[in-house]
Amino acid sequence: DDAGEDDISEKGLNIGLRHISLSTSGIVDRINDQHIAEKDLSSLTGDTLQFMWKVATEVNVSSGTVMVLIGVRYKYLNEELVTLEHAYTYEIPDLKDIVDIDAETNTVTFKIDILPTLVAASYSTSRGITYERVKDTELANYPVPMISMDVLMSKNGLSLTE
């Protein structure tokens, strides 16, 4: 799904980026609506429902893409109710011009801070997708929480691929 093009300017650099895909094919999507409907959730509260999340970013300089993986999981009484993972791929044609790669440590550093924007857009979209998937269940009363950008970025696993 093409979400359009955006420009980001910082430090005199103007970057064009385009969201090029949201992948759920081959990605985890485990919601058993029947199981949730049959489960006794009468004691379900914000305290008894466990919510877990993950965020990882994969940078591929040669293809000019950044993929953000967002994972969401709900557990109740230590039993998995929902596990969703979504992969968002962004095309950044000038990616090679805005990153520094340390070949010795295989790490990447961005010259401008675009990762928070990509992670925030991806996490926000996953919140909406998750709500849409659980809206007809008891879990509809427990939306994926908003998480500050600082926390998201502090837990972001960043990797470099070829």
Side-chain angles (χ1 to χ4, degrees):
D1 295 359
D2 185 357
E5 294 186 26
D6 291 306
D7 287 325
I8 296 177
S9 296
E10 185 177 310
K11 298 180 185 175
L13 295 171
N14 187 30
I15 305 172
L17 65 95
R18 185 168 67 103
H19 176 243
I20 55 173
S21 72
L22 162 61
S23 175
T24 54
S25 174
I27 301 295
V28 177
D29 185 347
R30 287 193 301 266
I31 299 180
N32 186 334
D33 297 330
Q34 176 91 20
H35 174 70
I36 293 172
E38 292 172 355
K39 187 138 187 75
D40 177 12
L41 299 176
S42 60
S43 62
L44 180 67
T45 67
D47 293 330
T48 60
L49 183 66
Q50 293 176 288
F51 170 75
M52 291 155 271
W53 61 274
K54 71 176 178 179
V55 58
T57 304
E58 192 173 282
V59 178
N60 187 318
V61 177
S62 62
S63 70
T65 59
V66 174
M67 186 201 62
V68 179
L69 179 69
I70 303 291
V72 173
R73 176 176 291 160
Y74 284 107
K75 289 174 94 176
Y76 174 65
L77 302 176
N78 291 320
E79 184 178 346
E80 180 183 304
L81 297 177
V82 173
T83 299
L84 297 172
E85 291 184 0
H86 303 108
Y88 303 85
T89 304
Y90 300 89
E91 180 181 60
I92 305 171
D94 300 323
L95 185 60
K96 66 184 176 317
D97 298 330
I98 63 163
V99 295
D100 287 323
I101 298 170
D102 184 334
E104 193 172 298
T105 60
N106 199 35
T107 57
V108 62
T109 305
F110 281 81
K111 295 176 187 175
I112 64 170
D113 208 12
I114 64 168
L115 279 185
T117 301
L118 302 180
V119 169
S122 301
Y123 184 77
S124 178
T125 303
S126 284
R127 288 183 73 231
I129 291 169
T130 303
Y131 178 76
E132 187 63 29
R133 292 284 285 123
V134 302
K135 71 180 182 186
D136 296 326
T137 73
E138 293 294 321
L139 297 175
N141 295 321
Y142 302 94
V144 172
M146 293 177 67
I147 298 175
S148 76
M149 181 52 55
D150 290 339
V151 172
L152 285 171
M153 293 308 295
S154 73
K155 304 293 184 183
N156 182 29
L158 179 62
S159 64
L160 181 63
T161 62
E162 292 301 317

